[in-house]
Amino acid sequence: MTGVITPVSTVEKDGLKFVIFDAPNDSNLPGYITELTKANVGCVVRVCDSTYDRTKLESVGIAVNDWPFPDGDPPPDAIISQWLTLIKTTFEGDKKKGGGAGGKKCIGIHCVAGLGRAPVLVAIALIEKGMDPLDAVQLIRGRRRGAINAKQLSFLESYKRRSKKDCVVQ
């Protein structure tokens, strides 16, 4: 069926807000654009191979970051660094102007099914904000059933925060 979308999942905690979803295609992208716009998403992080034309998102003011990494794996250090920089600019940006990403305070993120790579990066953001790794996973799984496999869970349990206190600073 064309145009049908899988429901998106919103994860929100301590000033951070993410929309996790599965990979759109060109036929159902308009439905996702509607959901992302409603959630005030300013940028999308694509951690899988491209399945749609990014210019359709960009034409409605949603930036797209392509940071693919292998399915089922934890993210490489370079992607974690880029992710943490995006978190900082989006949620801490210039507070006088309402944060980064053009004042939009939500990040959309997807992989193929929205169950592995995307939720792991969201968990990292929550851990950096001071949340316990297992609590972060539980919060995400409460919104996105089946998220985060055993290998990724092990990675998150041993993940060392790069920030000091509860701020996302590199």
Side-chain angles (χ1 to χ4, degrees):
M1 292 172 74
T2 60
V4 176
I5 69 168
T6 303
V8 301
S9 304
T10 301
V11 176
E12 200 166 357
K13 180 81 172 157
D14 296 331
L16 303 178
K17 183 178 178 185
F18 305 96
V19 172
I20 303 172
F21 55 108
D22 59 356
N25 55 52
D26 284 321
S27 67
N28 67 11
L29 187 57
Y32 283 103
I33 288 172
T34 299
E35 293 300 313
L36 297 173
T37 303
K38 278 189 219 172
N40 205 25
V41 169
C43 65
V44 164
V45 175
R46 185 163 54 183
V47 292
C48 59
D49 292 332
S50 174
T51 57
Y52 58 89
D53 179 4
R54 69 185 283 152
T55 62
K56 291 178 182 175
L57 284 170
E58 293 166 340
S59 71
V60 297
I62 300 173
V64 178
N65 296 288
D66 282 308
W67 300 334
F69 60 96
D71 189 23
D73 284 356
D77 281 341
I79 289 176
I80 292 172
S81 293
Q82 291 172 306
W83 174 244
L84 295 179
T85 298
L86 178 63
I87 299 301
K88 182 178 180 184
T89 58
T90 300
F91 299 112
E92 294 180 7
D94 184 348
K95 294 187 185 341
K96 291 178 186 171
K97 295 181 180 176
K104 295 188 179 182
K105 298 290 254 176
C106 183
I107 296 173
I109 183 165
H110 75 82
C111 48
V112 174
L115 296 174
R117 293 169 279 190
V120 164
L121 284 174
V122 171
I124 287 170
L126 296 172
I127 293 165
E128 289 289 337
K129 191 72 173 170
M131 197 170 200
D132 176 79
L134 294 179
D135 290 341
V137 171
Q138 183 177 7
L139 175 65
I140 292 165
R141 285 180 173 167
R143 311 286 191 290
R144 195 115 183 130
R145 202 178 116 209
I148 304 174
N149 68 27
K151 182 178 180 180
Q152 292 163 333
L153 178 60
S154 177
F155 166 79
L156 291 170
E157 288 176 314
S158 64
Y159 178 79
K160 301 291 183 220
R161 286 174 51 196
R162 298 178 184 191
S163 62
K164 295 178 173 87
K165 288 194 172 190
D166 67 344
C167 59
V168 183
V169 179
Q170 296 185 66

